[in-house]
Amino acid sequence: MDEAIKKMQEMDASYRFLLLYDELGHCTETEQNQKISEMNSTIDEMDSERLLSFFNKSLFDKISMMTGETRTPWEKNVLLLKHLGYRRVLKGCAESKFYFSMLRERFEKKINEEDKKKDERNERLLVDLCECYLLVSCQYSSEIICICVPCILKAALRKEENEETKKEVEMALLSLSHVNQFIKTDEELYFNEIKEIILNHQEHHNLTWLAYQSAWKFLMNRFDFDKRLEGVIVNELHFIRVATNEPVELAMHIDWKRKKEEKGEREEREELALERWLYALAQYFYLFESTNEEYIGLFGCPVQIFRVAKDCRREIGEMCIQALGYASRNRAVKFEHLVKSGAVEAASEWIIQLSSCLNQICLSLMLLKEICWALKKKMKNENDEAKRKDMKRKVSEKMEEEGYEDCLIGFHNCIKSRSPRYMFGNLEECCVYF
């Protein structure tokens, strides 16, 4: 092996990236493409901690200074940054200093300039600029969002089923999913297009796991702002059916016994899609205003995921319990549906399985408390004595079988000393809701 290549491989990944980047402006286009490929490989080597420390203002300022017609062309830097943003999302690095850098201002100016060219604009460059802007930042200009959303949706509407197109569509939808719920987005910018993308996948299954979930995440973030979307989400796009089955199917597809650091990019994308499905469920459980028998299956979705993931991935188990906790605090919920879904057993198992993680135990106790108190209130208004006794017996048996009463008493004093935000009160009453 060439000595120079060997030394390059032995260097720290972030240092190697910067060294290659310094050479980028002095290369031919072919050499630039080769170096960008090498830099992308160094990014892939970084774990989440290294990537987070690398993703800083000085990096973006450096790239800003090196970007220009006589230095490194926009097209090359955008491709490089888009891959960096993509890896940031896969690794779950939420923080980004891009918004506070000189590069952010240049990006916004460049996006505006390309958009104003209309017939003469470089469509591919504009799409890349918009996707990159959304992937590397955590804060967005609402004016730029009005350009980015329709531009990226147009790219995401491509229906060819070859692998290259699937990857491009996945990147487009992934970037859109980061337009958060705090940014108001007018319906005319996205509504018909995102419906078409979701419905087309339901018919033809043309999207990857992550692309399909990203389309839903973008729409659910709009639901956060506009509750009128519930009718469309449930009745036209069949959210209850999709969210009951899709996350569970995905969870069954994942190899949970394989260590996280051993997983490849495909597996990282699948786990990210699952985590985001659980977040979407939590959003929906918190916001929805209607209910029917189908919700037993919907509440059962995080219960099933909890069962397959809890032993290997505690963070997934916690997300499942959190999602059910949001459901327990929604006034539209029929609590007998939540009980039938298996939520009581899941919360009880979580308490017994954990020995030291008080925050996660508190999540389970909060869920059980909400269910018990709601059922207690319901029973006070229940005229049918036989039904009242039957419900009392079923819930009591579930809690006693899992040792809930013993766990509750054991943790009671510890929990009372926690932050006031838990507000448990006399928790022993949860077991004696009747």
Side-chain angles (χ1 to χ4, degrees):
M1 183 185 292
D2 184 272
E3 192 65 27
I5 296 175
K6 185 177 180 181
K7 285 183 178 179
M8 185 72 75
Q9 290 177 341
E10 290 173 352
M11 289 178 191
D12 172 78
S14 55
Y15 180 73
R16 194 161 74 243
F17 178 96
L18 294 172
L19 192 64
L20 286 164
Y21 188 79
D22 284 336
E23 298 171 358
L24 202 59
H26 310 289
C27 301
T28 65
E29 184 174 0
T30 302
E31 290 171 334
Q32 283 181 342
N33 291 337
Q34 177 60 35
K35 288 192 182 297
I36 286 173
S37 177
E38 290 178 46
M39 283 187 278
N40 285 342
S41 296
T42 64
I43 291 168
D44 294 342
E45 292 173 24
M46 298 183 197
D47 60 18
S48 55
E49 187 177 349
R50 170 61 71 182
L51 199 58
L52 184 59
S53 64
F54 184 61
F55 218 76
N56 55 40
K57 183 176 178 293
S58 62
L59 171 67
F60 297 125
D61 286 342
K62 179 183 180 69
I63 293 174
S64 179
M65 288 187 289
M66 291 285 287
T67 301
E69 298 304 323
T70 59
R71 297 179 181 177
T72 309
W74 270 103
E75 289 84 351
K76 303 300 181 185
N77 275 320
V78 167
L79 291 175
L80 189 61
L81 280 166
K82 194 159 73 166
H83 187 76
L84 185 60
Y86 177 71
R87 295 303 301 176
R88 178 183 78 90
V89 171
L90 287 190
K91 293 293 185 183
C93 303
E95 188 178 346
S96 171
K97 304 299 184 190
F98 175 78
Y99 189 82
F100 305 99
S101 69
M102 295 184 291
L103 187 59
R104 189 264 302 177
E105 296 177 8
R106 294 194 64 191
F107 250 84
E108 293 181 357
K109 182 180 178 182
K110 185 68 174 176
I111 288 171
N112 270 309
E113 287 174 355
E114 285 297 322
D115 183 58
K116 288 175 182 176
K117 290 179 182 178
K118 302 300 179 185
D119 294 337
E120 298 178 5
R121 69 187 174 196
N122 182 336
E123 293 286 353
R124 184 65 256 173
L125 175 59
L126 183 57
V127 170
D128 285 337
L129 283 164
C130 290
E131 290 177 358
C132 186
Y133 179 80
L134 296 182
L135 285 170
V136 300
S137 186
C138 291
Q139 300 180 55
Y140 317 108
S141 156
S142 57
E143 293 79 14
I144 296 298
I145 290 299
C146 291
I147 298 172
C148 289
V149 168
C151 173
I152 297 174
L153 277 171
K154 185 178 177 181
L157 279 164
R158 294 176 62 187
K159 296 183 174 64
E160 303 97 313
E161 295 194 15
N162 60 72
E163 287 305 310
E164 184 179 350
T165 300
K166 280 189 174 184
K167 190 168 184 178
E168 289 175 1
V169 169
E170 180 183 84
M171 185 74 81
L173 291 171
L174 184 66
S175 65
L176 277 177
S177 70
H178 285 267
V179 181
N180 65 44
Q181 64 266 43
F182 303 112
I183 294 180
K184 181 172 174 55
T185 314
D186 294 333
E187 281 190 16
E188 59 265 25
L189 292 177
Y190 72 88
F191 189 62
N192 292 330
E193 290 82 359
I194 203 68
K195 273 180 61 178
E196 183 180 342
I197 288 167
I198 290 172
L199 289 172
N200 188 68
H201 174 78
Q202 289 175 359
E203 183 177 355
H204 299 290
H205 304 285
N206 60 311
L207 300 175
T208 64
W209 292 104
L210 183 55
Y212 186 46
Q213 196 289 321
S214 294
W216 272 109
K217 187 174 188 294
F218 172 76
L219 184 59
M220 294 301 289
N221 283 343
R222 313 285 72 73
F223 176 42
D224 231 31
F225 207 99
D226 186 356
K227 308 302 183 295
R228 294 173 300 174
L229 285 173
E230 183 173 358
V232 175
I233 288 170
V234 173
N235 300 322
E236 296 183 43
L237 300 178
H238 318 293
F239 178 79
I240 307 300
R241 184 188 70 203
V242 169
T244 298
N245 299 316
E246 184 89 6
V248 174
E249 185 180 346
L250 178 53
M252 298 302 180
H253 185 264
I254 292 170
D255 181 2
W256 293 106
K257 293 182 180 179
R258 192 169 180 182
K259 293 181 180 179
K260 196 169 183 180
E261 56 270 20
E262 296 174 353
K263 295 182 182 295
E265 185 180 299
R266 178 186 59 79
E267 293 162 313
E268 286 183 324
R269 294 202 310 268
E270 290 170 355
E271 286 202 21
L272 176 63
L274 181 64
E275 290 171 7
R276 285 150 55 113
W277 268 120
L278 289 169
Y279 179 76
L281 282 167
Q283 277 181 293
Y284 187 76
F285 290 161
Y286 182 71
L287 295 167
F288 78 85
E289 296 177 355
S290 61
T291 186
N292 55 45
E293 288 289 329
E294 284 186 301
Y295 280 78
I296 298 174
L298 188 63
F299 297 145
C301 171
V303 173
Q304 291 183 69
I305 296 170
F306 172 83
R307 300 237 185 274
V308 299
K310 64 184 173 69
D311 293 330
C312 301
R313 292 284 302 281
R314 281 192 176 185
E315 63 269 35
I316 297 291
E318 181 175 349
M319 291 181 75
C320 294
I321 300 299
Q322 279 182 322
L324 293 167
Y326 277 113
S328 73
R329 293 191 287 278
N330 187 325
R331 293 183 181 180
V333 167
K334 292 184 178 179
F335 280 85
E336 50 267 48
H337 290 172
L338 201 52
V339 171
K340 288 178 182 178
S341 74
V344 171
E345 294 96 324
S348 300
E349 284 177 35
W350 201 229
I351 293 170
I352 291 168
Q353 182 173 342
L354 299 167
S355 58
S356 59
C357 190
L358 192 55
N359 283 337
Q360 293 175 340
I361 291 166
C362 286
L363 283 172
S364 292
L365 293 179
M366 282 292 285
L367 169 60
L368 290 169
K369 184 193 77 170
E370 294 286 348
I371 292 174
C372 290
W373 285 3
L375 289 172
K376 179 180 179 181
K377 184 177 180 181
K378 174 181 173 62
M379 293 313 159
K380 284 181 178 178
N381 300 321
E382 180 62 75
N383 295 321
D384 188 333
E385 184 66 14
K387 285 185 179 180
R388 187 192 75 82
K389 287 183 178 180
D390 185 54
M391 180 65 78
K392 167 184 170 179
R393 176 183 58 78
K394 286 179 180 178
V395 175
S396 296
E397 285 176 358
K398 285 176 182 178
M399 293 184 177
E400 186 176 351
E401 284 171 9
E402 300 296 341
Y404 169 59
E405 291 188 50
D406 294 337
C407 287
L408 187 62
I409 293 167
F411 287 116
H412 178 60
N413 291 333
C414 187
I415 290 169
K416 282 174 69 177
S417 67
R418 294 291 290 173
S419 165
R421 70 188 178 93
Y422 290 108
M423 298 296 288
F424 277 93
N426 185 7
L427 286 173
E428 284 84 347
E429 290 182 3
C430 293
C431 294
V432 200
Y433 65 92
F434 38 81

PDB file of all heavy atoms in Angstrom, residues 1 15 51 61 76 80 97 118 144 146-147 161 181 232 243-244 263 293 326 340 343 359 363 377 389 427 430:
ATOM      1  N   MET A   1       0.840  -1.206   0.000  1.00  0.00           N
ATOM      2  CA  MET A   1       0.000   0.000   0.000  1.00  0.00           C
ATOM      3  C   MET A   1       0.870   1.249   0.000  1.00  0.00           C
ATOM      4  O   MET A   1       1.856   1.326   0.704  1.00  0.00           O
ATOM      5  CB  MET A   1      -0.918   0.006   1.237  1.00  0.00           C
ATOM      6  CG  MET A   1      -1.883   1.191   1.279  1.00  0.00           C
ATOM      7  SD  MET A   1      -2.856   1.242   2.808  1.00  0.00           S
ATOM      8  CE  MET A   1      -3.879  -0.204   2.612  1.00  0.00           C
ATOM      9  N   TYR A  15      -9.982  15.002  11.136  1.00  0.00           N
ATOM     10  CA  TYR A  15      -8.776  15.668  10.645  1.00  0.00           C
ATOM     11  C   TYR A  15      -8.540  15.308   9.179  1.00  0.00           C
ATOM     12  O   TYR A  15      -8.158  16.151   8.364  1.00  0.00           O
ATOM     13  CB  TYR A  15      -7.575  15.271  11.502  1.00  0.00           C
ATOM     14  CG  TYR A  15      -6.282  15.919  11.057  1.00  0.00           C
ATOM     15  CD1 TYR A  15      -6.042  17.275  11.274  1.00  0.00           C
ATOM     16  CD2 TYR A  15      -5.301  15.175  10.398  1.00  0.00           C
ATOM     17  CE1 TYR A  15      -4.865  17.877  10.851  1.00  0.00           C
ATOM     18  CE2 TYR A  15      -4.120  15.757   9.978  1.00  0.00           C
ATOM     19  CZ  TYR A  15      -3.896  17.107  10.205  1.00  0.00           C
ATOM     20  OH  TYR A  15      -2.743  17.697   9.784  1.00  0.00           O
ATOM     21  N   LEU A  51     -19.363  13.017  15.299  1.00  0.00           N
ATOM     22  CA  LEU A  51     -20.073  13.788  14.287  1.00  0.00           C
ATOM     23  C   LEU A  51     -20.651  15.070  14.886  1.00  0.00           C
ATOM     24  O   LEU A  51     -20.616  16.139  14.276  1.00  0.00           O
ATOM     25  CB  LEU A  51     -21.188  12.934  13.681  1.00  0.00           C
ATOM     26  CG  LEU A  51     -21.770  13.363  12.334  1.00  0.00           C
ATOM     27  CD1 LEU A  51     -20.694  13.442  11.272  1.00  0.00           C
ATOM     28  CD2 LEU A  51     -22.858  12.396  11.913  1.00  0.00           C
ATOM     29  N   ASP A  61     -18.174  27.888   8.601  1.00  0.00           N
ATOM     30  CA  ASP A  61     -17.511  29.130   8.191  1.00  0.00           C
ATOM     31  C   ASP A  61     -16.357  28.849   7.228  1.00  0.00           C
ATOM     32  O   ASP A  61     -16.131  29.580   6.265  1.00  0.00           O
ATOM     33  CB  ASP A  61     -16.996  29.891   9.425  1.00  0.00           C
ATOM     34  CG  ASP A  61     -18.120  30.566  10.209  1.00  0.00           C
ATOM     35  OD1 ASP A  61     -19.214  30.743   9.634  1.00  0.00           O
ATOM     36  OD2 ASP A  61     -17.908  30.901  11.382  1.00  0.00           O
ATOM     37  N   LYS A  76     -20.333  21.192  -5.772  1.00  0.00           N
ATOM     38  CA  LYS A  76     -19.503  20.223  -5.041  1.00  0.00           C
ATOM     39  C   LYS A  76     -19.725  20.346  -3.533  1.00  0.00           C
ATOM     40  O   LYS A  76     -19.866  19.345  -2.826  1.00  0.00           O
ATOM     41  CB  LYS A  76     -18.022  20.432  -5.371  1.00  0.00           C
ATOM     42  CG  LYS A  76     -17.675  20.339  -6.843  1.00  0.00           C
ATOM     43  CD  LYS A  76     -18.016  18.991  -7.439  1.00  0.00           C
ATOM     44  CE  LYS A  76     -17.634  18.920  -8.904  1.00  0.00           C
ATOM     45  NZ  LYS A  76     -18.066  17.653  -9.532  1.00  0.00           N
ATOM     46  N   LEU A  80     -21.405  17.563  -0.803  1.00  0.00           N
ATOM     47  CA  LEU A  80     -20.649  17.175   0.383  1.00  0.00           C
ATOM     48  C   LEU A  80     -21.454  17.435   1.647  1.00  0.00           C
ATOM     49  O   LEU A  80     -21.571  16.578   2.535  1.00  0.00           O
ATOM     50  CB  LEU A  80     -19.336  17.961   0.416  1.00  0.00           C
ATOM     51  CG  LEU A  80     -18.285  17.566   1.456  1.00  0.00           C
ATOM     52  CD1 LEU A  80     -17.828  16.132   1.235  1.00  0.00           C
ATOM     53  CD2 LEU A  80     -17.101  18.524   1.371  1.00  0.00           C
ATOM     54  N   LYS A  97     -24.880  23.915  14.391  1.00  0.00           N
ATOM     55  CA  LYS A  97     -24.467  25.321  14.479  1.00  0.00           C
ATOM     56  C   LYS A  97     -24.585  26.013  13.121  1.00  0.00           C
ATOM     57  O   LYS A  97     -24.141  27.151  12.972  1.00  0.00           O
ATOM     58  CB  LYS A  97     -23.020  25.418  14.975  1.00  0.00           C
ATOM     59  CG  LYS A  97     -22.761  24.719  16.305  1.00  0.00           C
ATOM     60  CD  LYS A  97     -23.588  25.309  17.418  1.00  0.00           C
ATOM     61  CE  LYS A  97     -23.233  24.646  18.757  1.00  0.00           C
ATOM     62  NZ  LYS A  97     -24.163  25.018  19.822  1.00  0.00           N
ATOM     63  N   LYS A 118     -36.233  31.481 -12.522  1.00  0.00           N
ATOM     64  CA  LYS A 118     -37.388  30.882 -13.178  1.00  0.00           C
ATOM     65  C   LYS A 118     -36.985  29.939 -14.311  1.00  0.00           C
ATOM     66  O   LYS A 118     -36.420  28.896 -14.084  1.00  0.00           O
ATOM     67  CB  LYS A 118     -38.354  31.970 -13.673  1.00  0.00           C
ATOM     68  CG  LYS A 118     -38.865  32.889 -12.557  1.00  0.00           C
ATOM     69  CD  LYS A 118     -39.609  32.125 -11.482  1.00  0.00           C
ATOM     70  CE  LYS A 118     -40.081  33.045 -10.372  1.00  0.00           C
ATOM     71  NZ  LYS A 118     -40.702  32.290  -9.255  1.00  0.00           N
ATOM     72  N   ILE A 144     -37.637  31.002   3.190  1.00  0.00           N
ATOM     73  CA  ILE A 144     -36.934  29.963   2.428  1.00  0.00           C
ATOM     74  C   ILE A 144     -37.762  28.680   2.376  1.00  0.00           C
ATOM     75  O   ILE A 144     -37.750  27.960   1.368  1.00  0.00           O
ATOM     76  CB  ILE A 144     -35.541  29.699   3.043  1.00  0.00           C
ATOM     77  CG1 ILE A 144     -34.662  30.946   2.923  1.00  0.00           C
ATOM     78  CG2 ILE A 144     -34.866  28.521   2.370  1.00  0.00           C
ATOM     79  CD1 ILE A 144     -34.374  31.383   1.498  1.00  0.00           C
ATOM     80  N   CYS A 146     -40.880  28.453   2.033  1.00  0.00           N
ATOM     81  CA  CYS A 146     -41.864  28.607   0.957  1.00  0.00           C
ATOM     82  C   CYS A 146     -41.263  28.272  -0.411  1.00  0.00           C
ATOM     83  O   CYS A 146     -41.995  27.916  -1.344  1.00  0.00           O
ATOM     84  CB  CYS A 146     -42.401  30.040   0.935  1.00  0.00           C
ATOM     85  SG  CYS A 146     -43.435  30.427   2.358  1.00  0.00           S
ATOM     86  N   ILE A 147     -39.958  28.384  -0.542  1.00  0.00           N
ATOM     87  CA  ILE A 147     -39.275  27.976  -1.778  1.00  0.00           C
ATOM     88  C   ILE A 147     -38.944  26.485  -1.730  1.00  0.00           C
ATOM     89  O   ILE A 147     -39.168  25.736  -2.683  1.00  0.00           O
ATOM     90  CB  ILE A 147     -37.983  28.792  -1.983  1.00  0.00           C
ATOM     91  CG1 ILE A 147     -38.300  30.283  -2.123  1.00  0.00           C
ATOM     92  CG2 ILE A 147     -37.220  28.290  -3.217  1.00  0.00           C
ATOM     93  CD1 ILE A 147     -37.066  31.182  -2.147  1.00  0.00           C
ATOM     94  N   GLU A 161     -38.931   3.345 -10.382  1.00  0.00           N
ATOM     95  CA  GLU A 161     -38.647   2.428  -9.284  1.00  0.00           C
ATOM     96  C   GLU A 161     -37.225   1.885  -9.296  1.00  0.00           C
ATOM     97  O   GLU A 161     -36.937   0.896  -8.627  1.00  0.00           O
ATOM     98  CB  GLU A 161     -39.667   1.281  -9.299  1.00  0.00           C
ATOM     99  CG  GLU A 161     -41.081   1.765  -9.011  1.00  0.00           C
ATOM    100  CD  GLU A 161     -42.037   0.640  -8.697  1.00  0.00           C
ATOM    101  OE1 GLU A 161     -41.566  -0.480  -8.421  1.00  0.00           O
ATOM    102  OE2 GLU A 161     -43.260   0.872  -8.731  1.00  0.00           O
ATOM    103  N   GLN A 181     -42.811  21.349  13.339  1.00  0.00           N
ATOM    104  CA  GLN A 181     -44.202  21.717  13.543  1.00  0.00           C
ATOM    105  C   GLN A 181     -44.397  23.171  13.942  1.00  0.00           C
ATOM    106  O   GLN A 181     -45.512  23.676  13.947  1.00  0.00           O
ATOM    107  CB  GLN A 181     -44.846  20.803  14.598  1.00  0.00           C
ATOM    108  CG  GLN A 181     -44.256  20.923  15.996  1.00  0.00           C
ATOM    109  CD  GLN A 181     -43.169  19.894  16.240  1.00  0.00           C
ATOM    110  OE1 GLN A 181     -42.332  19.663  15.378  1.00  0.00           O
ATOM    111  NE2 GLN A 181     -43.183  19.281  17.416  1.00  0.00           N
ATOM    112  N   VAL A 232     -58.568  14.171   7.036  1.00  0.00           N
ATOM    113  CA  VAL A 232     -57.821  13.699   5.861  1.00  0.00           C
ATOM    114  C   VAL A 232     -56.870  12.582   6.264  1.00  0.00           C
ATOM    115  O   VAL A 232     -56.782  11.545   5.591  1.00  0.00           O
ATOM    116  CB  VAL A 232     -57.035  14.861   5.224  1.00  0.00           C
ATOM    117  CG1 VAL A 232     -56.173  14.352   4.073  1.00  0.00           C
ATOM    118  CG2 VAL A 232     -57.979  15.943   4.745  1.00  0.00           C
ATOM    119  N   ALA A 243     -50.561   3.088  10.661  1.00  0.00           N
ATOM    120  CA  ALA A 243     -49.761   3.186  11.882  1.00  0.00           C
ATOM    121  C   ALA A 243     -49.964   2.000  12.812  1.00  0.00           C
ATOM    122  O   ALA A 243     -49.166   1.791  13.730  1.00  0.00           O
ATOM    123  CB  ALA A 243     -50.102   4.484  12.625  1.00  0.00           C
ATOM    124  N   THR A 244     -50.996   1.201  12.581  1.00  0.00           N
ATOM    125  CA  THR A 244     -51.179  -0.032  13.351  1.00  0.00           C
ATOM    126  C   THR A 244     -50.252  -1.129  12.825  1.00  0.00           C
ATOM    127  O   THR A 244     -49.707  -1.913  13.612  1.00  0.00           O
ATOM    128  CB  THR A 244     -52.642  -0.513  13.274  1.00  0.00           C
ATOM    129  OG1 THR A 244     -53.493   0.487  13.867  1.00  0.00           O
ATOM    130  CG2 THR A 244     -52.842  -1.830  14.024  1.00  0.00           C
ATOM    131  N   LYS A 263     -24.276  -2.192  12.956  1.00  0.00           N
ATOM    132  CA  LYS A 263     -25.301  -2.061  11.932  1.00  0.00           C
ATOM    133  C   LYS A 263     -24.807  -1.251  10.741  1.00  0.00           C
ATOM    134  O   LYS A 263     -24.049  -0.298  10.891  1.00  0.00           O
ATOM    135  CB  LYS A 263     -26.557  -1.410  12.529  1.00  0.00           C
ATOM    136  CG  LYS A 263     -27.223  -2.270  13.590  1.00  0.00           C
ATOM    137  CD  LYS A 263     -28.470  -1.629  14.125  1.00  0.00           C
ATOM    138  CE  LYS A 263     -29.103  -2.480  15.230  1.00  0.00           C
ATOM    139  NZ  LYS A 263     -29.581  -3.760  14.744  1.00  0.00           N
ATOM    140  N   GLU A 293     -63.325   1.485  17.728  1.00  0.00           N
ATOM    141  CA  GLU A 293     -62.735   0.196  18.081  1.00  0.00           C
ATOM    142  C   GLU A 293     -61.361  -0.027  17.440  1.00  0.00           C
ATOM    143  O   GLU A 293     -60.535  -0.763  17.973  1.00  0.00           O
ATOM    144  CB  GLU A 293     -63.677  -0.945  17.662  1.00  0.00           C
ATOM    145  CG  GLU A 293     -64.935  -1.074  18.503  1.00  0.00           C
ATOM    146  CD  GLU A 293     -64.653  -1.601  19.906  1.00  0.00           C
ATOM    147  OE1 GLU A 293     -63.699  -2.377  20.057  1.00  0.00           O
ATOM    148  OE2 GLU A 293     -65.375  -1.218  20.841  1.00  0.00           O
ATOM    149  N   TYR A 326     -48.943   9.475  26.336  1.00  0.00           N
ATOM    150  CA  TYR A 326     -49.670  10.558  25.668  1.00  0.00           C
ATOM    151  C   TYR A 326     -51.121  10.157  25.433  1.00  0.00           C
ATOM    152  O   TYR A 326     -52.038  10.971  25.587  1.00  0.00           O
ATOM    153  CB  TYR A 326     -49.008  10.912  24.339  1.00  0.00           C
ATOM    154  CG  TYR A 326     -47.837  11.854  24.479  1.00  0.00           C
ATOM    155  CD1 TYR A 326     -46.545  11.431  24.202  1.00  0.00           C
ATOM    156  CD2 TYR A 326     -48.037  13.171  24.885  1.00  0.00           C
ATOM    157  CE1 TYR A 326     -45.464  12.294  24.333  1.00  0.00           C
ATOM    158  CE2 TYR A 326     -46.971  14.040  25.023  1.00  0.00           C
ATOM    159  CZ  TYR A 326     -45.690  13.600  24.747  1.00  0.00           C
ATOM    160  OH  TYR A 326     -44.637  14.462  24.879  1.00  0.00           O
ATOM    161  N   LYS A 340     -57.370  -2.898  26.893  1.00  0.00           N
ATOM    162  CA  LYS A 340     -57.422  -4.067  26.011  1.00  0.00           C
ATOM    163  C   LYS A 340     -56.194  -4.169  25.119  1.00  0.00           C
ATOM    164  O   LYS A 340     -55.832  -5.249  24.662  1.00  0.00           O
ATOM    165  CB  LYS A 340     -58.686  -4.014  25.150  1.00  0.00           C
ATOM    166  CG  LYS A 340     -59.977  -4.302  25.907  1.00  0.00           C
ATOM    167  CD  LYS A 340     -61.179  -4.173  24.987  1.00  0.00           C
ATOM    168  CE  LYS A 340     -62.475  -4.400  25.740  1.00  0.00           C
ATOM    169  NZ  LYS A 340     -63.660  -4.216  24.851  1.00  0.00           N
ATOM    170  N   ALA A 343     -51.562  -2.160  27.319  1.00  0.00           N
ATOM    171  CA  ALA A 343     -50.742  -1.081  27.872  1.00  0.00           C
ATOM    172  C   ALA A 343     -50.405  -1.311  29.336  1.00  0.00           C
ATOM    173  O   ALA A 343     -49.295  -0.989  29.790  1.00  0.00           O
ATOM    174  CB  ALA A 343     -51.461   0.259  27.702  1.00  0.00           C
ATOM    175  N   ASN A 359     -36.259   7.576  35.833  1.00  0.00           N
ATOM    176  CA  ASN A 359     -37.060   8.322  34.862  1.00  0.00           C
ATOM    177  C   ASN A 359     -37.975   7.392  34.070  1.00  0.00           C
ATOM    178  O   ASN A 359     -39.144   7.702  33.833  1.00  0.00           O
ATOM    179  CB  ASN A 359     -36.157   9.093  33.899  1.00  0.00           C
ATOM    180  CG  ASN A 359     -35.581  10.346  34.521  1.00  0.00           C
ATOM    181  OD1 ASN A 359     -36.139  10.880  35.472  1.00  0.00           O
ATOM    182  ND2 ASN A 359     -34.465  10.808  33.998  1.00  0.00           N
ATOM    183  N   LEU A 363     -42.194   7.019  34.021  1.00  0.00           N
ATOM    184  CA  LEU A 363     -43.052   7.031  32.832  1.00  0.00           C
ATOM    185  C   LEU A 363     -44.126   5.947  32.930  1.00  0.00           C
ATOM    186  O   LEU A 363     -45.297   6.184  32.641  1.00  0.00           O
ATOM    187  CB  LEU A 363     -42.214   6.792  31.576  1.00  0.00           C
ATOM    188  CG  LEU A 363     -41.386   7.958  31.043  1.00  0.00           C
ATOM    189  CD1 LEU A 363     -40.466   7.474  29.920  1.00  0.00           C
ATOM    190  CD2 LEU A 363     -42.277   9.076  30.532  1.00  0.00           C
ATOM    191  N   LYS A 377     -62.936   6.749  37.878  1.00  0.00           N
ATOM    192  CA  LYS A 377     -63.974   7.743  37.607  1.00  0.00           C
ATOM    193  C   LYS A 377     -65.103   7.127  36.806  1.00  0.00           C
ATOM    194  O   LYS A 377     -66.285   7.367  37.064  1.00  0.00           O
ATOM    195  CB  LYS A 377     -63.370   8.915  36.844  1.00  0.00           C
ATOM    196  CG  LYS A 377     -64.348  10.057  36.604  1.00  0.00           C
ATOM    197  CD  LYS A 377     -63.635  11.210  35.907  1.00  0.00           C
ATOM    198  CE  LYS A 377     -64.617  12.361  35.654  1.00  0.00           C
ATOM    199  NZ  LYS A 377     -63.963  13.489  34.960  1.00  0.00           N
ATOM    200  N   LYS A 389     -67.767  -4.879  38.244  1.00  0.00           N
ATOM    201  CA  LYS A 389     -66.960  -5.879  38.940  1.00  0.00           C
ATOM    202  C   LYS A 389     -66.028  -6.614  37.976  1.00  0.00           C
ATOM    203  O   LYS A 389     -64.896  -6.953  38.338  1.00  0.00           O
ATOM    204  CB  LYS A 389     -67.877  -6.875  39.655  1.00  0.00           C
ATOM    205  CG  LYS A 389     -68.553  -6.280  40.889  1.00  0.00           C
ATOM    206  CD  LYS A 389     -69.396  -7.337  41.606  1.00  0.00           C
ATOM    207  CE  LYS A 389     -70.020  -6.742  42.877  1.00  0.00           C
ATOM    208  NZ  LYS A 389     -70.842  -7.744  43.583  1.00  0.00           N
ATOM    209  N   LEU A 427     -49.525   7.359  45.378  1.00  0.00           N
ATOM    210  CA  LEU A 427     -49.547   6.406  44.272  1.00  0.00           C
ATOM    211  C   LEU A 427     -50.180   5.063  44.617  1.00  0.00           C
ATOM    212  O   LEU A 427     -50.636   4.355  43.739  1.00  0.00           O
ATOM    213  CB  LEU A 427     -48.115   6.182  43.774  1.00  0.00           C
ATOM    214  CG  LEU A 427     -47.552   7.345  42.970  1.00  0.00           C
ATOM    215  CD1 LEU A 427     -46.086   7.096  42.676  1.00  0.00           C
ATOM    216  CD2 LEU A 427     -48.301   7.523  41.680  1.00  0.00           C
ATOM    217  N   CYS A 430     -53.443   4.166  43.153  1.00  0.00           N
ATOM    218  CA  CYS A 430     -53.593   3.725  41.750  1.00  0.00           C
ATOM    219  C   CYS A 430     -54.037   2.275  41.672  1.00  0.00           C
ATOM    220  O   CYS A 430     -54.738   1.888  40.747  1.00  0.00           O
ATOM    221  CB  CYS A 430     -52.253   3.878  41.015  1.00  0.00           C
ATOM    222  SG  CYS A 430     -51.746   5.562  40.795  1.00  0.00           S
TER     223      CYS A 430
END
